[in-house]
Short mmCIF file of all heavy atoms in Angstrom, two decimals:
data_model
loop_
_atom_site.label_atom_id
_atom_site.label_comp_id
_atom_site.label_asym_id
_atom_site.label_seq_id
_atom_site.Cartn_x
_atom_site.Cartn_y
_atom_site.Cartn_z
N HIS W 1 0.82 -1.21 0.00
CA HIS W 1 0.00 0.00 0.01
C HIS W 1 0.86 1.25 0.00
O HIS W 1 0.58 2.23 -0.75
CB HIS W 1 -0.93 -0.01 1.19
CG HIS W 1 -2.07 -0.96 1.08
ND1 HIS W 1 -3.04 -1.13 2.07
CD2 HIS W 1 -2.44 -1.80 0.09
CE1 HIS W 1 -3.92 -2.01 1.67
NE2 HIS W 1 -3.55 -2.45 0.49
N PHE W 2 1.90 1.27 0.82
CA PHE W 2 2.71 2.47 0.96
C PHE W 2 3.52 2.76 -0.32
O PHE W 2 3.50 3.87 -0.83
CB PHE W 2 3.66 2.32 2.15
CG PHE W 2 4.60 3.49 2.31
CD1 PHE W 2 4.17 4.67 2.88
CD2 PHE W 2 5.91 3.38 1.89
CE1 PHE W 2 5.04 5.75 3.03
CE2 PHE W 2 6.78 4.46 2.03
CZ PHE W 2 6.33 5.63 2.60
N LEU W 3 4.23 1.75 -0.84
CA LEU W 3 5.12 1.99 -1.95
C LEU W 3 4.35 2.23 -3.26
O LEU W 3 4.88 2.90 -4.15
CB LEU W 3 6.07 0.81 -2.12
CG LEU W 3 7.09 0.60 -1.00
CD1 LEU W 3 7.99 -0.56 -1.30
CD2 LEU W 3 7.93 1.88 -0.82
N SER W 4 3.15 1.68 -3.40
CA SER W 4 2.39 1.93 -4.61
C SER W 4 2.00 3.42 -4.75
O SER W 4 1.70 3.88 -5.85
CB SER W 4 1.12 1.07 -4.63
OG SER W 4 0.27 1.40 -3.53
N ILE W 5 2.04 4.12 -3.63
CA ILE W 5 1.79 5.57 -3.64
C ILE W 5 3.10 6.34 -3.60
O ILE W 5 3.31 7.32 -4.33
CB ILE W 5 0.91 5.98 -2.47
CG1 ILE W 5 -0.42 5.23 -2.50
CG2 ILE W 5 0.66 7.50 -2.47
CD1 ILE W 5 -1.26 5.43 -1.24
N HIS W 6 4.03 5.89 -2.76
CA HIS W 6 5.28 6.63 -2.52
C HIS W 6 6.15 6.72 -3.77
O HIS W 6 6.64 7.81 -4.10
CB HIS W 6 6.05 5.96 -1.37
CG HIS W 6 7.46 6.43 -1.25
ND1 HIS W 6 8.52 5.84 -1.90
CD2 HIS W 6 7.99 7.47 -0.55
CE1 HIS W 6 9.63 6.46 -1.61
NE2 HIS W 6 9.35 7.45 -0.79
N ASP W 7 6.35 5.63 -4.46
CA ASP W 7 7.31 5.63 -5.55
C ASP W 7 6.96 6.56 -6.71
O ASP W 7 7.81 7.32 -7.16
CB ASP W 7 7.49 4.18 -6.06
CG ASP W 7 8.35 3.36 -5.10
OD1 ASP W 7 8.96 3.95 -4.21
OD2 ASP W 7 8.38 2.13 -5.25
N PRO W 8 5.72 6.54 -7.23
CA PRO W 8 5.41 7.50 -8.31
C PRO W 8 5.55 8.95 -7.89
O PRO W 8 6.03 9.79 -8.67
CB PRO W 8 3.97 7.15 -8.67
CG PRO W 8 3.77 5.74 -8.21
CD PRO W 8 4.59 5.62 -6.98
N ILE W 9 5.15 9.28 -6.66
CA ILE W 9 5.23 10.67 -6.20
C ILE W 9 6.68 11.06 -5.96
O ILE W 9 7.14 12.14 -6.36
CB ILE W 9 4.39 10.86 -4.92
CG1 ILE W 9 2.91 10.65 -5.24
CG2 ILE W 9 4.60 12.23 -4.33
CD1 ILE W 9 2.00 10.73 -4.04
N ALA W 10 7.46 10.19 -5.30
CA ALA W 10 8.86 10.51 -5.01
C ALA W 10 9.67 10.67 -6.28
O ALA W 10 10.53 11.58 -6.38
CB ALA W 10 9.45 9.43 -4.12
N ASN W 11 9.44 9.83 -7.27
CA ASN W 11 10.21 9.91 -8.51
C ASN W 11 9.82 11.11 -9.35
O ASN W 11 10.64 11.61 -10.13
CB ASN W 11 10.04 8.63 -9.33
CG ASN W 11 10.91 7.50 -8.80
OD1 ASN W 11 12.05 7.36 -9.19
ND2 ASN W 11 10.38 6.72 -7.89
N LEU W 12 8.60 11.58 -9.21
CA LEU W 12 8.19 12.77 -9.94
C LEU W 12 9.02 13.98 -9.52
O LEU W 12 9.43 14.79 -10.35
CB LEU W 12 6.70 13.07 -9.71
CG LEU W 12 6.16 14.38 -10.31
CD1 LEU W 12 6.20 14.30 -11.82
CD2 LEU W 12 4.74 14.64 -9.83
N PHE W 13 9.33 14.09 -8.23
CA PHE W 13 10.06 15.23 -7.71
C PHE W 13 11.58 14.98 -7.63
O PHE W 13 12.31 15.84 -7.16
CB PHE W 13 9.56 15.59 -6.29
CG PHE W 13 8.17 16.20 -6.32
CD1 PHE W 13 7.06 15.40 -6.12
CD2 PHE W 13 8.01 17.54 -6.55
CE1 PHE W 13 5.79 15.94 -6.13
CE2 PHE W 13 6.73 18.10 -6.55
CZ PHE W 13 5.62 17.30 -6.35
N HIS W 14 12.03 13.84 -8.07
CA HIS W 14 13.47 13.53 -8.04
C HIS W 14 14.12 14.06 -9.28
O HIS W 14 14.02 13.48 -10.38
CB HIS W 14 13.70 12.03 -7.91
CG HIS W 14 15.14 11.65 -7.87
ND1 HIS W 14 15.98 12.01 -6.84
CD2 HIS W 14 15.91 10.96 -8.76
CE1 HIS W 14 17.20 11.54 -7.08
NE2 HIS W 14 17.19 10.94 -8.25
N LEU W 15 14.81 15.21 -9.18
CA LEU W 15 15.47 15.84 -10.31
C LEU W 15 16.99 15.84 -10.04
O LEU W 15 17.45 16.41 -9.07
CB LEU W 15 14.99 17.28 -10.48
CG LEU W 15 13.48 17.44 -10.76
CD1 LEU W 15 13.11 18.91 -10.75
CD2 LEU W 15 13.10 16.77 -12.07
N ARG W 16 17.75 15.23 -10.92
CA ARG W 16 19.20 15.18 -10.77
C ARG W 16 19.80 16.54 -11.11
O ARG W 16 19.44 17.16 -12.10
CB ARG W 16 19.76 14.09 -11.66
CG ARG W 16 19.27 12.70 -11.33
CD ARG W 16 19.97 11.66 -12.16
NE ARG W 16 21.42 11.67 -11.95
CZ ARG W 16 22.25 10.87 -12.59
NH1 ARG W 16 21.80 9.98 -13.46
NH2 ARG W 16 23.55 10.92 -12.36
N ARG W 17 20.73 16.99 -10.30
CA ARG W 17 21.31 18.30 -10.47
C ARG W 17 22.70 18.28 -11.11
O ARG W 17 23.26 19.30 -11.43
CB ARG W 17 21.41 19.03 -9.12
CG ARG W 17 20.08 19.16 -8.42
CD ARG W 17 20.11 20.15 -7.31
NE ARG W 17 20.34 21.49 -7.78
CZ ARG W 17 20.14 22.58 -7.04
NH1 ARG W 17 19.71 22.45 -5.80
NH2 ARG W 17 20.38 23.78 -7.51
N ASP W 18 23.26 17.08 -11.28
CA ASP W 18 24.58 17.01 -11.87
C ASP W 18 24.55 17.32 -13.38
O ASP W 18 23.66 16.91 -14.10
CB ASP W 18 25.20 15.61 -11.65
CG ASP W 18 24.29 14.50 -12.10
OD1 ASP W 18 23.07 14.72 -12.16
OD2 ASP W 18 24.81 13.42 -12.42
N HIS W 19 25.55 18.06 -13.82
CA HIS W 19 25.69 18.43 -15.23
C HIS W 19 24.45 19.19 -15.74
O HIS W 19 24.07 19.05 -16.90
CB HIS W 19 25.93 17.20 -16.10
CG HIS W 19 27.07 16.36 -15.65
ND1 HIS W 19 28.38 16.80 -15.65
CD2 HIS W 19 27.10 15.09 -15.14
CE1 HIS W 19 29.17 15.84 -15.18
NE2 HIS W 19 28.43 14.81 -14.86
N ARG W 20 23.85 19.98 -14.90
CA ARG W 20 22.67 20.74 -15.31
C ARG W 20 22.78 22.17 -14.78
O ARG W 20 22.96 22.35 -13.57
CB ARG W 20 21.39 20.06 -14.77
CG ARG W 20 20.13 20.88 -15.03
CD ARG W 20 18.90 20.22 -14.44
NE ARG W 20 18.58 18.97 -15.12
CZ ARG W 20 17.44 18.31 -14.93
NH1 ARG W 20 16.54 18.78 -14.07
NH2 ARG W 20 17.21 17.18 -15.55
N PRO W 21 22.66 23.19 -15.63
CA PRO W 21 22.68 24.57 -15.16
C PRO W 21 21.52 24.83 -14.20
O PRO W 21 20.47 24.19 -14.27
CB PRO W 21 22.57 25.40 -16.44
CG PRO W 21 22.95 24.47 -17.54
CD PRO W 21 22.55 23.11 -17.09
N VAL W 22 21.70 25.80 -13.30
CA VAL W 22 20.68 26.08 -12.32
C VAL W 22 19.40 26.57 -12.96
O VAL W 22 18.30 26.27 -12.48
CB VAL W 22 21.21 27.11 -11.29
CG1 VAL W 22 21.48 28.46 -11.96
CG2 VAL W 22 20.23 27.29 -10.14
N ALA W 23 19.51 27.29 -14.08
CA ALA W 23 18.30 27.77 -14.76
C ALA W 23 17.49 26.59 -15.30
O ALA W 23 16.25 26.57 -15.20
CB ALA W 23 18.68 28.71 -15.92
N ASP W 24 18.18 25.57 -15.88
CA ASP W 24 17.45 24.40 -16.37
C ASP W 24 16.84 23.62 -15.23
O ASP W 24 15.73 23.08 -15.35
CB ASP W 24 18.41 23.49 -17.15
CG ASP W 24 18.89 24.16 -18.44
OD1 ASP W 24 18.29 25.18 -18.84
OD2 ASP W 24 19.89 23.66 -19.02
N TYR W 25 17.55 23.54 -14.10
CA TYR W 25 17.01 22.80 -12.96
C TYR W 25 15.75 23.48 -12.44
O TYR W 25 14.76 22.81 -12.12
CB TYR W 25 18.06 22.73 -11.85
CG TYR W 25 17.55 22.12 -10.57
CD1 TYR W 25 17.43 20.74 -10.43
CD2 TYR W 25 17.15 22.92 -9.50
CE1 TYR W 25 16.96 20.16 -9.29
CE2 TYR W 25 16.67 22.35 -8.34
CZ TYR W 25 16.57 20.98 -8.22
OH TYR W 25 16.07 20.43 -7.07
N ARG W 26 15.75 24.80 -12.35
CA ARG W 26 14.57 25.51 -11.85
C ARG W 26 13.41 25.40 -12.82
O ARG W 26 12.25 25.30 -12.41
CB ARG W 26 14.92 26.97 -11.61
CG ARG W 26 15.84 27.16 -10.39
CD ARG W 26 16.34 28.57 -10.27
NE ARG W 26 17.19 28.73 -9.09
CZ ARG W 26 17.92 29.81 -8.83
NH1 ARG W 26 17.91 30.84 -9.68
NH2 ARG W 26 18.64 29.88 -7.72
N THR W 27 13.72 25.37 -14.13
CA THR W 27 12.65 25.17 -15.11
C THR W 27 12.04 23.78 -14.96
O THR W 27 10.80 23.63 -15.00
CB THR W 27 13.21 25.35 -16.53
OG1 THR W 27 13.75 26.68 -16.66
CG2 THR W 27 12.12 25.13 -17.57
N ALA W 28 12.88 22.77 -14.80
CA ALA W 28 12.37 21.41 -14.63
C ALA W 28 11.58 21.29 -13.34
O ALA W 28 10.56 20.61 -13.29
CB ALA W 28 13.54 20.43 -14.62
#
């Protein structure tokens, strides 16, 4: 029950910051 909700929501907000300008990160 928990992971069927947690994983899609957590991955939606997981944005990698490596090799990405801050402007692109904020846009994403």
Side-chain angles (χ1 to χ4, degrees):
H1 286 180
F2 177 79
L3 293 181
S4 62
I5 302 172
H6 168 269
D7 285 347
I9 295 177
N11 281 271
L12 175 66
F13 290 95
H14 180 66
L15 300 174
R16 298 185 60 180
R17 303 195 65 166
D18 52 335
H19 307 295
R20 174 182 293 190
V22 64
D24 293 346
Y25 174 80
R26 289 171 178 170
T27 300

